[in-house]
Amino acid sequence: MNSLPPNAPGFSFKTRVTNAWANIELLRQAVIASARAVFDDDTSVSIGTVASELMENAVKYGVWAGATVQTMRVAVRGREKVIEVEVEAPSSEEAAANLERHLAWMRSFASAEQAYQARIVELATAPADKRSSMGLLRIAVEGPCSIEAELTADKLLVVRALLVGSA
Amino acid sequence: MIEHDLGDLKLRTTETAEAVVVTWLGRSNAATPGDLVSPPLLAAADRAAATNLPLVFAFEQLEFFNSATITVLLRTIRALRGRPVSLTLRYDEEKRWQRMFFDAFTGVGLGEGDNVRLEAVRA
């Protein structure tokens, strides 16, 4: 996985919180407020949205029952115009495989915009299915960002979005 | 005027001689926003159909919506297909996050020959 150097100067936000839904909005606002000290307004809002959608997925699709860790880790690092947003939460091989399938589906399109539009048409015209899968598509386009995922040996799923902003 | 207080989100429905307008205010960040927003949206659509007025969803004052809200909005549009309701989605083109989402709508041409149109404003 691509990663910023651990000693990279610049913006850094890191915390660990429970999976309470209310924490997502609190952290979205905290990330935006902090990012505004470094980045322009649009970029700061994008960073907050990316963090928020990744946290929503972690809470919704994390495997919390029986997990030894009952918290999610949220980290945002920015250096110059490159920003990395990372959310880590308990998961499973099955959940990680589901996510990888979804990412592969997104990559099967020529662009994230095309995948986003295809899903918009589907949701606006076809009968409802269980999972909308809009969160990752949305941040891939709005960020814009690339998204990677990795399941650790401890069954923690790390989802990382890398976006380019304006200082 | 009818105002629905839905946590961080408020939906305000007003009726004029020109339209039934649902104004989105605040932040739509609920885990399952459909349970909250679908009833007021569909009630406004019923009112628009009964009065033969266009229906407007006004997003320009909205600060944020999550992807679950996007899904609810798209499913509401689907529910209105085939009904005698003309829907306008009004947004602030100066807010990048709103422009990015509604630009995607433009790209797929949902409004062409359909009962949905987009209106970009500068709030």
Side-chain angles (χ1 to χ4, degrees):
Chain A
M1 295 173 77
N2 296 324
S3 183
L4 294 171
N7 60 348
F11 180 79
S12 179
F13 181 101
K14 190 174 180 181
T15 191
R16 183 177 284 278
V17 295
T18 69
N19 62 355
W21 190 262
N23 283 336
I24 297 169
E25 176 63 15
L26 291 171
L27 288 186
R28 186 184 72 85
Q29 293 191 34
V31 166
I32 292 173
S34 304
R36 278 186 172 131
V38 180
F39 302 105
D40 65 31
D41 195 59
D42 282 341
T43 300
S44 301
V45 170
S46 291
I47 296 168
T49 299
V50 170
S52 176
E53 294 291 355
L54 294 185
M55 286 187 282
E56 287 196 9
N57 280 353
V59 173
K60 282 181 181 175
Y61 307 118
V63 180
W64 297 97
T68 52
V69 177
Q70 287 293 318
T71 55
M72 60 180 168
R73 181 177 61 80
V74 181
V76 184
R77 292 183 284 270
R79 181 168 60 97
E80 297 177 347
K81 293 183 178 180
V82 180
I83 302 113
E84 183 184 85
V85 182
E86 189 175 271
V87 174
E88 177 189 272
S91 189
S92 66
E93 288 176 0
E94 183 185 0
N98 284 340
L99 175 60
E100 278 301 339
R101 273 194 293 275
H102 181 58
L103 291 174
W105 175 82
M106 287 169 60
R107 291 176 191 129
S108 70
F109 288 81
S111 67
E113 286 81 1
Q114 284 188 15
Y116 193 41
Q117 290 177 344
R119 193 66 180 134
I120 284 174
V121 170
E122 202 173 0
L123 286 169
T125 56
D129 51 16
K130 193 175 178 184
R131 182 174 175 173
S132 77
S133 301
M134 284 297 282
L136 295 179
L137 281 170
R138 183 224 189 145
I139 62 173
V141 172
E142 276 189 34
C145 61
S146 58
I147 303 165
E148 299 173 323
E150 180 182 53
L151 186 66
T152 71
D154 297 334
K155 298 285 191 293
L156 296 171
L157 184 61
V158 183
V159 182
R160 183 176 297 152
L162 202 64
L163 60 157
V164 177
S166 304
Chain B
M1 182 184 79
I2 304 169
E3 190 156 291
H4 299 271
D5 195 337
L6 310 170
D8 288 342
L9 175 70
K10 281 188 174 56
L11 292 181
R12 182 182 295 153
T13 303
T14 53
E15 183 177 329
T16 68
E18 287 79 37
V20 174
V21 180
V22 181
T23 303
W24 295 58
L25 301 161
R27 302 177 301 275
S28 183
N29 50 25
T32 53
D35 300 340
L36 301 172
V37 304
S38 290
L41 296 184
L42 294 175
D46 287 344
R47 181 64 187 161
T51 55
N52 205 28
L53 286 169
L55 177 63
V56 178
F57 291 166
F59 294 95
E60 63 267 31
Q61 295 180 68
L62 188 68
E63 295 171 40
F64 171 75
F65 58 41
N66 60 8
S67 58
T69 305
I70 292 174
T71 302
V72 170
L73 177 62
L74 293 170
R75 287 176 176 160
T76 301
I77 289 170
R78 193 188 64 234
L80 296 181
R81 292 176 93 86
R83 294 191 59 185
V85 177
S86 168
L87 174 64
T88 295
L89 305 174
R90 198 167 72 205
Y91 67 98
D92 182 357
E93 63 181 354
E94 292 190 315
K95 287 182 177 149
R96 180 177 177 274
W97 70 272
Q98 291 200 7
R99 192 175 66 245
M100 295 292 286
F101 172 67
F102 289 105
D103 274 359
F105 258 72
T106 308
V108 298
L110 271 177
E112 291 172 13
D114 210 335
N115 59 346
V116 183
R117 60 182 288 269
L118 298 172
E119 182 184 356
V121 296
R122 294 187 176 199

